Amino acid sequence: QWSQLKEVAAKISLESQEYHVVKEVPVDERVKNVLSRADMNFVQSLIKLREKRKHLYILIAEDDDLLQQYVSSMLTDYTLIKARKGEDVLVSYLLNAPDMVFLDIELPEIDGHRLLEEMKKVDRDVFAVMMSGHTQMKHVKRSIQIGAKGFVAKPFQKEKIKSCVEVCANLKGLYAMSG
């Protein structure tokens, strides 16, 4: 079953890479195509993979290189997956089944709110913490309404990032390393 999962994941990844070259395909169509490949067997396999872990896998979805590196530097004890564009975030989520996602609201191609909505269609248990330089109440409210577990304002503070990770680890019964 694991080899079948890897096969499907590879197809999704290859198709995602091809779409970056084929500019005529609208983002909405690419998102539908990626999500249509994630049938229930695939999703169940990812959930089983996630359940076998003893520590957190964290996806950092941030298009700014320096901010992505900064957040990564706070989480060196964890397995990190990084993505910079909306579609890459979706593909990375499907391929890696992270336990937690730090999700920038303003990403290229697809904004973070929309991405969270799409992730929730596939995995209702997604643990996402939204990140933004815009701390207006409308962004915070929308994030919570669509299912975000938290909101972190830029510039990020290590204590806030670590606190979000600890909450996720406690909910999922995984080991949150201190550092």
Side-chain angles (χ1 to χ4, degrees):
Q1 189 177 18
W2 178 243
S3 63
Q4 186 181 19
L5 172 65
K6 285 171 64 176
E7 237 175 77
V8 173
K11 286 179 187 174
I12 292 171
S13 182
L14 285 175
E15 290 172 3
S16 171
Q17 291 170 7
E18 289 172 12
Y19 288 133
H20 292 292
V21 177
V22 183
K23 300 292 184 191
E24 307 87 49
V25 179
V27 170
D28 283 348
E29 288 301 313
R30 295 192 319 249
V31 168
K32 285 178 193 170
N33 196 337
V34 168
L35 291 175
S36 71
R37 300 284 191 266
D39 65 17
M40 286 313 292
N41 290 331
F42 182 76
V43 172
Q44 290 301 318
S45 297
L46 292 176
I47 291 169
K48 287 178 186 175
L49 175 66
R50 190 184 292 150
E51 289 172 351
K52 292 179 183 178
R53 295 186 186 141
K54 301 210 184 310
H55 70 280
L56 291 175
Y57 278 53
I58 301 171
L59 172 58
I60 302 171
E62 171 61 63
D63 61 318
D64 183 291
D65 289 337
L66 289 175
L67 289 175
Q68 191 180 79
Q69 288 173 1
Y70 182 61
V71 174
S72 297
S73 73
M74 295 179 206
L75 303 171
T76 56
D77 292 333
Y78 303 98
T79 300
L80 302 179
I81 304 125
K82 301 172 189 174
R84 289 185 170 77
K85 295 180 184 175
E87 185 178 349
D88 295 339
V89 172
L90 267 180
V91 170
S92 294
Y93 190 83
L94 293 173
L95 291 176
N96 298 286
D99 301 290
M100 177 178 200
V101 181
F102 282 103
L103 184 56
D104 185 16
I105 290 175
E106 294 181 13
L107 288 171
E109 296 178 350
I110 310 165
D111 73 71
H113 288 135
R114 169 88 188 286
L115 280 168
L116 180 55
E117 291 170 335
E118 296 299 332
M119 285 179 199
K120 289 200 88 50
K121 289 177 185 175
V122 175
D123 180 5
R124 61 182 164 79
D125 296 326
V126 61
F127 191 101
V129 175
M130 305 306 283
M131 305 185 300
S132 180
H134 303 286
T135 56
Q136 300 153 333
M137 223 31 204
K138 70 178 183 179
H139 289 295
V140 177
K141 283 182 181 178
R142 177 137 191 256
S143 297
I144 301 303
Q145 285 173 342
I146 60 176
K149 306 296 186 204
F151 189 95
V152 180
K154 296 176 187 177
F156 308 119
Q157 296 195 1
K158 186 174 185 173
E159 298 79 28
K160 181 71 174 175
I161 297 289
K162 289 284 190 177
S163 173
C164 292
V165 171
E166 287 174 16
V167 168
C168 178
N170 288 334
L171 283 173
K172 296 189 179 247
L174 294 173
Y175 178 61
M177 300 169 201
S178 59

